[in-house]
Amino acid sequence: MGWSLDKRCLAVSGGIGGAKLALGLTQVLRPDQLAIVANSGDDFEHLGLHISPDLDTVMYTLADLSDKEQGWGLAGESWNFLDALDSLGGETWFKLGDRDMATHVTRTRLLAEGRTLSDVTAYLCERLGVHHALFPMTDDPVATMVRLRSGELLSFQHYFVRDRCEPVVAGFHFDGIETAKPSPPLLNSLRDPQLAAIVICPSNPFVSIDPVLAVPSVRQELSDSRAPVVAVSPIVGGEAIKGPTAKMMDELGMPRTALAVAEHYKDLLDGYILDTKDRQLVQQVEALGIATTVTETVMLTLADRRQLAEDTLNFVDQLQSRP
Ligand code: FO1
């Protein structure tokens, strides 16, 4: 793989699925070669705490501290705080483990002291031994809202956790996005002359990737960058590996195919990575003007994560850096 030390990669990630590829990329790229921007549209105030679920999911995954079955939260967690909160009649639908609480309390304290979300994330990563750069899409407040077919607007975590993704969606709204500015580290990464790849990880396109792309000027920066933009399909054989992506596509009237996701990202992409199960879609994706490659994209082991990362970077190398 021709990744000389002066070439850099920016990965765009949401929660669980994206974090797996982000981890794979950390296995093949040095800290100064890889930066990860995470969705902060899932962030919300809960019990007086500022909670950043996707940033924490990526951070814990890179720190090798995450609960591997759940994908979010910490391994070996205890739940005494939540039990005590329950006995006091507090809200317990959003599961906050005892060790996880330390992260939320620390983030809330540092934000209250005037630190930016980017700075707080860098502080937490440094304390947890995460050496690759991880930062939010913006330091400004953005709240992903889910518009239901009933017309009701639901906050993301109410939709995702409290209501277990059961309501029927009609669309999404990113509250505050109009005045949000890209976070300084994101802007630095997008404008880095040594940026040689932008990888959209296999996260939910609507509620994990779209909020990042919706931050004003991000799309423009992406198209101005010489770095090829490639995405790994989050849909394999008509199903999402985890989460509500396929259900959302049904409810949005989109076919639940990897091709439909390529069309969703169309204007941005130079390349698209299909799973071997979707090999038959190559011609249709290429008809969109997007180069494709086919590989195993289902990541069950760390070796799978590393392999997909290598396949992704090799694919980028094949794509000419744009003029
Ligand atoms: N996801 C759940 O499905 N149930 C939970 O109780 C839950 C708690 C939780 C606590 C901290 C945190 O950082 C993430 C948590 N998540 C939980 C995941 C969270 O809902 C994210 O929004 C998803 O990962 C989707 O991005």
Side-chain angles (χ1 to χ4, degrees):
M1 170 177 56
W3 271 71
S4 56
L5 294 186
D6 64 348
K7 286 163 70 173
R8 297 206 180 104
C9 172
L10 172 67
V12 183
S13 177
I16 299 163
K20 289 181 180 173
L21 179 55
L23 180 61
L25 288 164
T26 67
Q27 305 295 303
V28 296
L29 295 174
R30 297 171 17 153
D32 59 344
Q33 289 185 290
L34 171 67
I36 300 142
V37 57
N39 164 44
S40 54
D42 286 7
D43 286 23
F44 72 132
E45 297 297 322
H46 183 59
L47 306 176
L49 298 168
H50 180 115
I51 299 187
S52 299
D54 282 353
L55 281 163
D56 287 350
T57 297
V58 177
M59 180 172 71
Y60 290 159
T61 299
L62 298 190
D64 195 18
L65 294 172
S66 66
D67 181 309
K68 304 267 185 304
E69 284 69 50
Q70 268 177 172
W72 53 266
L74 290 165
E77 191 57 281
S78 55
W79 305 93
N80 301 304
F81 162 75
L82 213 59
D83 291 346
L85 183 68
D86 191 38
S87 58
L88 294 178
E91 287 184 80
T92 58
W93 57 272
F94 195 75
K95 302 279 175 275
L96 293 169
D98 296 337
R99 302 182 64 78
D100 190 32
M101 277 294 289
T103 301
H104 309 310
V105 166
T106 303
R107 173 179 284 117
T108 303
R109 172 174 64 82
L110 294 176
L111 289 171
E113 290 171 5
R115 308 264 293 256
T116 65
L117 187 59
S118 295
D119 288 347
V120 172
T121 304
Y123 173 83
L124 292 171
C125 283
E126 195 259 328
R127 299 292 301 196
L128 294 182
V130 173
H131 302 300
H132 290 81
L134 169 66
F135 42 78
M137 65 200 199
T138 178
D139 287 333
D140 301 314
V142 170
T144 297
M145 306 297 286
V146 181
R147 191 169 40 256
L148 305 185
R149 196 165 287 174
S150 63
E152 186 190 350
L153 263 185
L154 214 49
S155 73
F156 178 76
Q157 296 302 342
H158 278 168
Y159 163 80
F160 190 89
V161 178
R162 191 195 59 184
D163 303 347
R164 289 180 306 286
C165 306
E166 284 161 8
V168 176
V169 306
F172 307 96
H173 172 71
F174 309 131
D175 230 11
I177 200 75
E178 300 77 19
T179 53
K181 292 178 292 307
S183 65
L186 172 57
L187 220 41
N188 288 341
S189 176
L190 287 168
R191 294 178 175 171
D192 179 348
Q194 291 172 325
L195 186 64
I198 298 162
V199 176
I200 296 181
C201 295
S203 293
N204 184 309
F206 314 109
V207 294
S208 293
I209 303 299
D210 279 355
V212 180
L213 303 176
V215 175
S217 87
V218 167
R219 280 177 176 273
Q220 188 57 50
E221 296 283 347
L222 286 174
S223 64
D224 291 350
S225 168
R226 285 168 41 79
V229 180
V230 304
V232 176
S233 174
I235 294 287
V236 172
E239 291 300 334
I241 302 306
K242 190 175 174 80
T245 300
K247 176 177 179 284
M248 287 179 175
M249 293 174 83
D250 294 347
E251 293 166 1
L252 294 171
M254 295 168 72
R256 53 163 71 190
T257 64
L259 174 63
V261 174
E263 283 164 345
H264 183 72
Y265 288 142
K266 178 159 54 75
D267 310 347
L268 283 171
L269 294 186
D270 299 290
Y272 194 59
I273 299 181
L274 288 164
D275 187 79
T276 50
K277 288 191 189 68
D278 295 309
R279 183 182 301 281
Q280 76 283 0
L281 296 175
V282 164
Q283 281 74 21
Q284 294 169 85
V285 175
E286 303 224 330
L288 297 172
I290 302 171
T292 61
T293 192
V294 176
T295 189
E296 293 300 327
T297 65
V298 178
M299 298 173 276
L300 302 175
T301 66
L302 181 58
D304 295 341
R305 291 160 173 70
R306 181 193 181 96
Q307 189 56 57
L308 181 56
E310 290 202 351
D311 294 346
T312 301
L313 295 174
N314 287 334
F315 178 45
V316 169
D317 280 344
Q318 293 161 24
L319 301 174
Q320 293 308 316
S321 289
R322 295 180 293 181

